[in-house]
Amino acid sequence: MDSPHSDTTGSVLSSPSVSSSGVFSQKRADIHNNETTTRHVKRPSAVTFRDPESCDMVQGESNSNYSETQSMHAAEQSIERNGKKGSCYRCLEGNQFTEKEICIVCNAKYCCKCVLRAMGSMPEGRKCVTCIGKKINESRRASLGKCSRLLKQLLNELEVKQAMSSEKTCKANQLPPQLVLINGEPLNQYKLHVLQTCQNPPKKLKPGRYWYDKVSGFWGKEGDGPCLIITAQLNVGGRIKAKASNGNAKVLVNDREITRKELWMLQFAGVNCEGKPSFWLSADGSYQEEGQKNEKGPIWKKTRIKLFCALLSLPVPPNVANPAGEDVSQRTLEQQVLLKLLLVGYQKSGTSTIYKQAKILYNVPFSEDERQNIKLKIQCNLYGYLAILLEGRERFEEEVLLENRKLQFADGPGSSGGASQIDGKTKYSLSPRLKAFSEWLVQVMVSGNLEVIFPAATREYAPFIQKLWNDAAFQATYNRRHELQMLPRIATYFLERAVEISRTDYEPSDMDILYAEGTQSSNGLSSMEFSFPTRERESFIDGYQHDPLARYQLIRLHPSSLGASCKWVGMFEDINMVLFCVSLTDYDEFWLDSNGVLINKMVASKQLFETIVSHPTLEQKDFLLILNKADLLLEKMEEVPLTRCEWFHDFNPVISHHNNNLTASVAQRAFHYIAVKFKRLFDSLTHSKLYVCMVTGLEPDSVDEAFRYAREILKWDHNENSFINNEFSTTTVTEASTTS
Amino acid sequence: MPVAELKERHAAAIEAVNDLRERLKQRRQQLLDTDVAGYARSQGRSQVTFGPTDLVCCRTLQGHTGKVYSLDWTPERDRIVSASQDGRLIVWNAQTSQKTHAIKLPCAWVMTCAFSPTGQSVACGGLDSMCSIFNLNSATDRDGNLPVSVTLNGHKGYVSCCQYVPDEDIHIITSSGDQTCVLWDITTGLRTTVFGGEFQSGHTADVLSVSINGANSRVFVSGSCDGTARLWDTRVASRAMRTFQGHEGDVNTVKFFPDGNRFGTGSDDGTCRLFDIRNGHQLQVYYQQHSDKEVPLVTSIAFSISGRLLFAGYSNGDCYVWDTLLARVVLNLGSVQNSHENRISCLGLSADGSSLCTGSWDTNLKIWAFGGHRKVI
């Protein structure tokens, strides 16, 4: 780079003139102010809680147990204020009486001007940006999710709601389970979840030591009498200690020495408490003296007992009027899930035929647009086929001319070549007008512009097609069509009806649509939703009952849509199953890849399969390999051995020559061989099972079979996972519904 | 045999082109006596510094249920359109984080979206190989969906990027997986010009990104999977004005420098580069050494208004703020407390340069603004 040039570069890059609009370039001046304003310092918890200014904190319960658990935090965040007492921590202005918002972690207080800047978007509620991700100050737990007036003034309703709900639900703000001890044993995440989601959870659970009577559901703080009756038989905490509630009534209930108050209550309920008995009290209130069989009626039956309990501030069991009914209904309301199937395969592997077949099978109508597109496509294809035939015709004509000339040379070497060319009419010669048309068409095809001339071509050239079709030379070429490699097999189907199809008022039938190559003009993606129609005979036979309303989505994708090295597979992470389509007849066909190297199509298919299967987003997904064009395999194997493809070099089935019917079984064996090849490949890449089925795209039943197989596989999966995921999925569903 | 001979000549020609390319590269290397950072350092420039709380996330836009793939700001007023894997476009008011429109797309696999210069309509494109335009003022149908007002049909591969030509609502440039870029006339719905494709003058792989020169809207640059960026003049379709080599991976994103004489690129090779369109030189490479072997890809870039800062999103969730002059990372938005939890897929600066919006695979968009002593937003 020459120096004058780089000089201008430098000046433009750092040009000061633009800084007026660009905020980002303008901060260096401010930076030194900022550094001195807020400074977070780590301090032991003692400082936080003895802070005289935190008088507005909810610090009600400062009993010995509580502070003991508090000290389990290694160090609480505390913030140092530089300004005077009562001022904002950020701008250092204001006094005790200005309204302020408090960080729920470090207790920093900010005035209304600074709150949004200090707390940002509040992804975890009211926390300074630097406190995000840290545990909240436990004394602030009670105020979680309760919005202050200040915030309501600053933000709109939606934002306040969002901030408050994230304050309540975000992970960092949840009660740390190890700080809750039940019968001397700290909880873990799972047990805390059990405790909080039971039918009658302890209200306003705070860190601390509790005792819990599993048999009756009595619940209280360690050293205190019972304060609640929660759901019994929860598997949380250790064994209850006799001294858990610090009772001294010399009466044991469920291994716990009860308090005086409880004894009074029992006596009032008419329970005989003479001589230090031990009782078993169950959750429904029935009790039993230890070692005896006489079960006595529920003590809570009479209302006066409940009144008496209220008098002594003892807990009574909650009304069991609202059992989990609400929850259950919510679970059944789980929305109908759409199961997504991704259909993908190498070029010309038949994915579009299977897609169209599925559309016809499951009564998903083709839209008017689609029909129009397909019509154009068919007509366009037809012109393409014609062009191939015409090209062939030229070749045949030349061949014949050459032959004639040779003959002439053989007959009479003296005669001039010019004369023979003039009357060089063969049975492949066209009339001049048709010849002009044919030359034009071939040229259009070769330049690859066939799609550009539509739909105008149908209007102009339909009569030509008719003439061409009736032309003897063309028919002669048509009869030799099997010699033309370029002409696809399906072309015959359309060429037979060339005249009808080339008309403008042609309407493609379902069959035509099925046989047409390609679904649409572009290499895009097509998708449809469907459900399986119920068949009478299938019900209950297969052991699983399928939900007849289950919706499926079939997405057919052209491999080029995945981009170079499958860059966009990530877009299909929510797919339930991948249907990978391979044409069985590919094994002897070759294809020019993007680098211009000739590659066996089966090997190319295999490479695509490898990239897709080993893509991280499709990990753990089910794969169903569809080996398509099964009907053509046998035919082809008679002509070309399967070992033509290098991947299949070790295919050598034992063939006995006694039975003529055995060829069919050879095709069967070839299918199994290929399936095993793919299965081994799949297993080596993913260590899981590949499902395989054989399909003939043009036969509705075989396609239906494949899709029902896919459904079956999804069902097995669902049944396997449902036990593990049940609880988890329901919680996530409800969470999602509240946040949306 | 003529075919064999042709093949031989073709191979020889390719050889010659590669040789020339290599020589050109060497010559450029020779002429390049310094880069921007080296020169700036020699001039005694000091680096931009940022404190941890200087760039604050001041809004989190929640509402998408899938990965966010693309976003775009309106030229005036604070509105953002975002496209997500859940098959929706959402138009946000960035000031209040309210959603003004949620557009359910006919094809859910959307990759890109753009706001029109007047803010009246939005465009999007994706795997359906079409570019769909929605007029935000049109009435919704019975299901509450906004109808498509125009579809631009003609690409043979996915539409990877679209951008309106500034100052008019009738022209849009798209890039596609079919190796072409297309300039469209929206009023007629037809292709005005196709760049690349048919003739071997354009990109040789999927085009992933376009950026129109803000100073001269007839010039745009495109980045492609073939590892190059190409400069085009919309009046000259036949060939690219310049081809910029240098990247060793797919060029995922291109963005014009505010002054219009340079542009930046971001690539799968983990680097961002700055190129000069006047002499074709690569001015600077922005690359941060990583300890582990996995090199995060650059997914999206944006320049600040002055051009001093380059924001780059990476596949590992990092979002570096580069000092373009000294080629140093000033700040990593991926490591501050309030950052995204997944890959940052797109980012964009508001027209006045006051705020940055990032979109991520964690389904959220975040708006970042300078948190120093200046008014937020």
Side-chain angles (χ1 to χ4, degrees):
Chain A
M1 191 188 302
D2 51 334
S3 58
H5 174 69
S6 52
D7 193 36
T8 59
T9 311
S11 66
V12 172
L13 282 171
S14 58
S15 143
S17 62
V18 274
S19 61
S20 55
S21 51
V23 183
F24 292 124
S25 56
Q26 244 248 330
K27 34 44 345 51
R28 253 173 306 166
D30 300 322
I31 218 147
H32 298 293
N33 301 338
N34 271 346
E35 273 172 12
T36 49
T37 48
T38 51
R39 186 160 288 163
H40 288 251
V41 182
K42 284 211 168 187
R43 284 273 184 101
S45 61
V47 179
T48 317
F49 291 101
R50 301 284 179 271
D51 189 355
E53 284 155 29
S54 52
C55 49
D56 52 347
M57 288 191 339
V58 194
Q59 211 175 358
E61 305 115 303
S62 53
N63 61 42
S64 57
N65 285 334
Y66 184 65
S67 51
E68 190 183 319
T69 55
Q70 265 311 317
S71 66
M72 287 164 75
H73 294 268
E76 280 287 318
Q77 271 288 306
S78 158
I79 190 162
E80 203 173 68
R81 177 191 316 202
N82 293 319
K84 59 184 191 299
K85 199 172 155 188
S87 67
C88 168
Y89 277 54
R90 187 183 164 84
C91 60
L92 310 177
E93 279 161 22
N95 53 44
Q96 275 131 318
F97 303 107
T98 49
E99 222 172 348
K100 283 188 280 294
E101 192 57 77
I102 305 163
C103 167
I104 53 177
V105 175
C106 65
N107 291 325
K109 303 189 196 85
Y110 299 108
C111 68
C112 62
K113 275 180 259 167
C114 298
V115 167
L116 287 185
R117 249 173 277 174
M119 296 191 177
S121 64
M122 305 190 197
E124 295 183 353
R126 290 162 289 178
K127 292 183 181 181
C128 318
V129 173
T130 42
C131 292
I132 289 165
K134 291 183 181 141
K135 285 192 179 114
I136 65 162
N137 188 334
E138 284 304 330
S139 60
R140 297 233 157 268
R141 187 162 295 284
S143 66
L144 277 191
K146 286 175 191 143
C147 179
S148 66
R149 210 172 45 180
L150 182 97
L151 271 194
K152 274 183 194 158
Q153 286 164 356
L154 276 174
L155 302 170
N156 65 33
E157 204 179 327
L158 187 92
E159 284 173 303
V160 168
K161 230 189 201 165
Q162 189 182 320
M164 288 303 122
S165 85
S166 51
E167 186 169 290
K168 269 191 291 190
T169 56
C170 84
K171 217 173 150 200
N173 294 0
Q174 297 313 308
L175 187 64
Q178 66 274 15
L179 295 187
V180 178
L181 287 90
I182 293 178
N183 300 340
E185 211 179 89
L187 294 181
N188 58 23
Q189 193 66 49
Y190 171 72
K191 286 184 173 172
L192 181 68
H193 181 75
V194 167
L195 188 64
Q196 284 177 325
T197 54
C198 71
Q199 215 177 320
N200 300 307
K203 286 174 190 106
K204 289 184 184 163
L205 193 63
K206 291 192 184 80
R209 291 169 166 273
Y210 297 93
W211 58 264
Y212 169 53
D213 178 350
K214 278 178 205 171
V215 185
S216 63
F218 272 78
W219 171 272
K221 278 213 173 97
E222 230 172 67
D224 278 349
C227 62
L228 261 179
I229 299 180
I230 64 166
T231 310
Q233 308 294 356
L234 297 177
N235 185 23
V236 292
R239 208 182 140 78
I240 191 165
K241 292 181 199 117
K243 285 283 165 201
S245 57
N246 214 7
N248 53 2
K250 306 232 160 57
V251 176
L252 288 174
V253 170
N254 302 341
D255 281 349
R256 174 180 60 93
E257 191 166 354
I258 59 173
T259 55
R260 280 262 168 240
K261 282 179 180 176
E262 284 173 282
L263 181 64
W264 293 339
M265 187 270 289
L266 283 183
Q267 282 166 341
F268 188 76
V271 179
N272 187 7
C273 299
E274 296 297 315
K276 306 178 187 175
S278 353
F279 291 102
W280 290 114
L281 179 69
S282 66
D284 61 1
S286 58
Y287 64 96
Q288 203 174 346
E289 208 171 318
E290 211 168 86
Q292 290 185 19
K293 261 196 121 177
N294 49 340
E295 194 169 305
K296 303 237 174 79
I299 38 175
W300 312 116
K301 211 167 53 185
K302 296 171 193 142
T303 37
R304 61 194 181 100
I305 302 283
K306 289 192 178 175
L307 281 174
F308 191 70
C309 284
L311 204 68
L312 294 174
S313 67
L314 280 176
V316 291
N319 289 330
V320 206
N322 61 332
E326 203 179 302
D327 270 2
V328 173
S329 68
Q330 212 166 23
R331 259 172 226 183
T332 52
L333 256 171
E334 223 174 292
Q335 64 197 113
Q336 278 276 312
V337 257
L338 192 65
L339 294 165
K340 295 180 179 174
L341 313 171
L342 178 68
L343 180 64
V344 67
Y346 199 68
Q347 269 99 337
K348 306 267 178 193
S349 61
T351 49
S352 73
T353 314
I354 291 177
Y355 179 78
K356 285 181 285 188
Q357 187 69 266
K359 256 195 143 167
I360 296 167
L361 263 172
Y362 305 120
N363 294 321
V364 182
F366 291 95
S367 70
E368 200 44 52
D369 235 28
E370 278 172 309
R371 273 184 188 278
Q372 201 58 38
N373 272 338
I374 290 169
K375 176 183 162 186
L376 276 181
K377 187 81 198 168
I378 290 175
Q379 291 180 331
C380 187
N381 285 346
L382 178 75
Y383 280 77
Y385 302 147
L386 289 174
I388 292 170
L389 280 174
L390 290 169
E391 209 180 19
R393 185 203 62 79
E394 271 173 47
R395 214 177 73 206
F396 295 151
E397 191 178 15
E398 264 168 45
E399 277 173 16
V400 172
L401 281 176
L402 214 68
E403 203 102 316
N404 286 351
R405 222 173 298 163
K406 268 185 195 161
L407 283 176
Q408 269 176 7
F409 267 118
D411 286 349
S415 63
S416 71
S420 69
Q421 267 193 352
I422 291 163
D423 62 327
K425 281 224 168 198
T426 66
K427 62 173 179 168
Y428 298 109
S429 305
L430 286 173
S431 66
R433 264 190 83 190
L434 278 178
K435 199 168 167 76
F437 169 67
S438 119
E439 264 161 20
W440 169 79
L441 189 60
V442 171
Q443 205 176 358
V444 167
M445 184 193 70
V446 168
S447 62
N449 284 352
L450 210 50
E451 275 153 46
V452 181
I453 60 165
F454 281 87
T458 45
R459 281 197 304 273
E460 295 206 16
Y461 301 113
F464 275 107
I465 299 285
Q466 187 152 8
K467 271 190 205 140
L468 193 65
W469 183 250
N470 295 331
D471 193 278
F474 187 79
Q475 282 296 330
T477 316
Y478 182 65
N479 290 334
R480 286 179 67 182
R481 64 184 179 275
H482 296 294
E483 293 168 42
L484 300 169
Q485 288 286 318
M486 291 278 286
L487 201 65
R489 302 173 61 95
I490 217 72
T492 316
Y493 175 85
F494 291 105
L495 282 169
E496 292 286 349
R497 296 160 51 218
V499 177
E500 180 200 335
I501 289 170
S502 61
R503 285 204 199 105
T504 25
D505 57 351
Y506 160 70
E507 282 298 326
S509 67
D510 278 357
M511 209 55 182
D512 295 352
I513 291 173
L514 197 59
Y515 279 102
E517 290 181 273
T519 25
Q520 48 192 182
S521 48
S522 62
N523 292 335
L525 148 160
S526 25
S527 77
M528 65 165 190
E529 277 182 37
F530 67 98
S531 55
F532 288 96
T534 42
R535 292 191 292 205
E536 295 82 26
R537 56 185 174 85
E538 93 174 330
S539 54
F540 299 113
I541 291 174
D542 50 7
Y544 299 112
Q545 203 188 352
H546 292 290
D547 184 0
L549 294 173
R551 299 289 289 168
Y552 295 81
Q553 187 179 29
L554 181 67
I555 303 151
R556 185 247 162 188
L557 192 62
H558 197 274
S560 74
S561 297
L562 292 174
S565 63
C566 297
K567 219 178 172 85
W568 300 105
V569 172
M571 291 195 129
F572 297 93
E573 59 175 359
D574 57 344
I575 285 292
N576 295 82
M577 180 186 268
V578 181
L579 311 176
F580 191 87
C581 196
V582 172
S583 161
L584 282 171
T585 56
D586 272 356
Y587 66 90
D588 72 325
E589 285 167 30
F590 289 84
W591 192 273
L592 278 179
D593 73 354
S594 53
N595 300 327
V597 181
L598 211 57
I599 186 169
N600 183 290
K601 274 176 81 184
M602 186 58 89
V603 175
S605 249
K606 177 192 161 208
Q607 281 167 0
L608 181 67
F609 182 73
E610 277 171 358
T611 22
I612 289 181
V613 161
S614 52
H615 199 279
T617 39
L618 297 179
E619 236 174 35
Q620 309 290 327
K621 303 271 181 205
D622 285 313
F623 275 80
L624 175 63
L625 180 70
I626 293 177
L627 294 176
N628 196 14
K629 305 188 186 171
D631 54 336
L632 300 179
L633 179 65
L634 180 60
E635 226 173 280
K636 192 144 204 175
M637 279 183 66
E638 281 168 0
E639 294 168 23
V640 193
L642 196 64
T643 45
R644 174 65 61 87
C645 170
E646 64 257 47
W647 195 31
F648 299 144
H649 65 94
D650 55 348
F651 176 70
N652 49 349
V654 187
I655 302 165
S656 81
H657 298 280
H658 300 299
N659 200 338
N660 291 337
N661 213 11
L662 215 73
T663 41
S665 84
V666 170
Q668 195 64 32
R669 251 179 252 172
F671 161 71
H672 279 295
Y673 171 80
I674 295 170
V676 166
K677 275 276 182 193
F678 271 102
K679 278 185 178 181
R680 290 220 180 110
L681 177 67
F682 188 73
D683 185 63
S684 70
L685 291 169
T686 65
H687 305 292
S688 48
K689 192 172 181 254
L690 174 71
Y691 303 94
V692 185
C693 66
M694 186 154 74
V695 165
T696 305
L698 294 177
E699 285 170 15
D701 283 346
S702 100
V703 173
D704 188 35
E705 208 62 47
F707 280 112
R708 283 177 195 269
Y709 186 42
R711 172 173 69 159
E712 206 80 344
I713 295 163
L714 287 173
K715 191 83 186 174
W716 298 333
D717 255 33
H718 183 70
N719 284 353
E720 266 170 39
N721 293 340
S722 57
F723 300 109
I724 313 155
N725 286 349
N726 215 358
E727 188 186 40
F728 194 67
S729 66
T730 48
T731 53
T732 49
V733 162
T734 50
E735 202 170 277
S737 62
T738 51
T739 51
S740 62
Chain B
M1 192 72 187
V3 175
E5 192 186 316
L6 270 177
K7 266 186 182 164
E8 223 163 75
R9 285 174 61 182
H10 182 237
I14 285 178
E15 188 79 4
V17 166
N18 284 340
D19 183 49
L20 282 173
R21 197 169 280 155
E22 195 55 38
R23 276 170 55 193
L24 190 69
K25 201 172 154 190
Q26 279 171 8
R27 183 83 184 129
R28 278 197 187 282
Q29 210 80 53
Q30 264 175 31
L31 290 173
L32 208 64
D33 54 349
T34 181
D35 57 8
V36 172
Y39 183 75
R41 225 168 284 130
S42 73
Q43 295 289 302
R45 296 279 188 164
S46 60
Q47 194 189 323
V48 176
T49 46
F50 262 124
T53 56
D54 279 358
L55 207 54
V56 174
C57 169
C58 54
R59 295 279 187 284
T60 301
L61 306 181
Q62 293 178 327
H64 280 301
T65 57
K67 295 171 181 173
V68 178
Y69 273 105
S70 176
L71 67 88
D72 194 29
W73 288 81
T74 39
E76 82 268 8
R77 291 198 292 179
D78 305 301
R79 288 195 297 161
I80 297 171
V81 62
S82 62
S84 156
Q85 206 189 355
D86 58 15
R88 279 173 202 281
L89 296 183
I90 295 183
V91 179
W92 310 82
N93 184 329
Q95 291 271 20
T96 62
S97 62
Q98 269 165 329
K99 310 175 190 76
T100 55
H101 294 84
I103 305 165
K104 194 170 185 304
L105 299 172
C107 172
W109 294 274
V110 60
M111 289 178 179
T112 179
C113 60
F115 238 120
S116 75
T118 57
Q120 301 295 309
S121 52
V122 291
C124 72
L127 284 184
D128 58 356
S129 309
M130 294 190 288
C131 183
S132 312
I133 311 233
F134 296 87
N135 188 342
L136 294 179
N137 299 326
S138 54
T140 55
D141 65 7
R142 273 172 303 159
D143 305 328
N145 293 331
L146 207 63
V148 183
S149 58
V150 183
T151 53
L152 306 176
N153 226 320
H155 273 303
K156 292 202 181 88
Y158 58 86
V159 175
S160 53
C161 186
C162 60
Q163 194 189 350
Y164 277 90
V165 178
D167 310 324
E168 41 185 349
D169 253 4
I170 52 166
H171 287 120
I172 192 166
I173 295 180
T174 58
S175 68
S176 160
D178 64 8
Q179 315 185 353
T180 64
C181 299
V182 170
L183 172 69
W184 301 85
D185 188 323
I186 294 172
T187 44
T188 60
L190 295 175
R191 286 180 281 194
T192 308
T193 324
V194 181
F195 305 92
E198 271 169 53
F199 309 101
Q200 287 295 310
S201 64
H203 285 291
T204 54
D206 304 11
V207 187
L208 296 178
S209 174
V210 289
S211 175
I212 300 171
N213 190 342
N216 174 6
S217 61
R218 282 197 290 265
V219 173
F220 73 97
V221 65
S222 62
S224 155
C225 283
D226 62 13
T228 65
R230 283 172 211 246
L231 183 74
W232 304 87
D233 190 312
T234 52
R235 296 161 297 183
V236 187
S238 59
R239 53 181 296 122
M241 283 162 69
R242 238 185 236 287
T243 303
F244 299 85
Q245 318 265 354
H247 278 295
E248 287 145 22
D250 305 358
V251 177
N252 291 326
T253 171
V254 289
K255 192 75 86 192
F256 254 104
F257 199 78
D259 73 350
N261 287 329
R262 279 156 275 263
F263 68 91
T265 55
S267 158
D268 273 2
D269 63 12
T271 64
C272 299
R273 289 169 201 243
L274 190 66
F275 292 97
D276 195 300
I277 64 168
R278 292 167 299 187
N279 58 11
H281 269 308
Q282 174 182 303
L283 300 179
Q284 182 64 46
V285 181
Y286 302 95
Y287 179 64
Q288 181 78 349
Q289 202 70 43
H290 283 266
S291 50
D292 46 345
K293 277 194 187 137
E294 290 268 307
V295 177
L297 330 172
V298 183
T299 56
S300 184
I301 58 165
F303 286 101
S304 67
I305 290 274
S306 69
R308 182 70 195 262
L309 298 177
L310 167 69
F311 303 91
Y314 292 81
S315 58
N316 62 352
D318 281 343
C319 179
Y320 289 149
V321 182
W322 287 94
D323 182 337
T324 48
L325 211 51
L326 285 133
R328 292 265 173 76
V329 176
V330 176
L331 186 69
N332 181 2
L333 293 180
S335 66
V336 300
Q337 271 96 345
N338 205 350
S339 66
H340 286 290
E341 283 146 22
N342 205 331
R343 165 185 297 210
I344 291 181
S345 50
C346 50
L347 42 82
L349 220 67
S350 65
D352 62 353
S354 63
S355 38
L356 172 78
C357 183
T358 54
S360 161
W361 281 10
D362 69 1
T363 74
N364 292 334
L365 294 117
K366 284 179 192 284
I367 296 175
W368 305 81
F370 180 63
H373 282 274
R374 267 182 74 118
K375 201 177 175 315
V376 179
I377 292 192

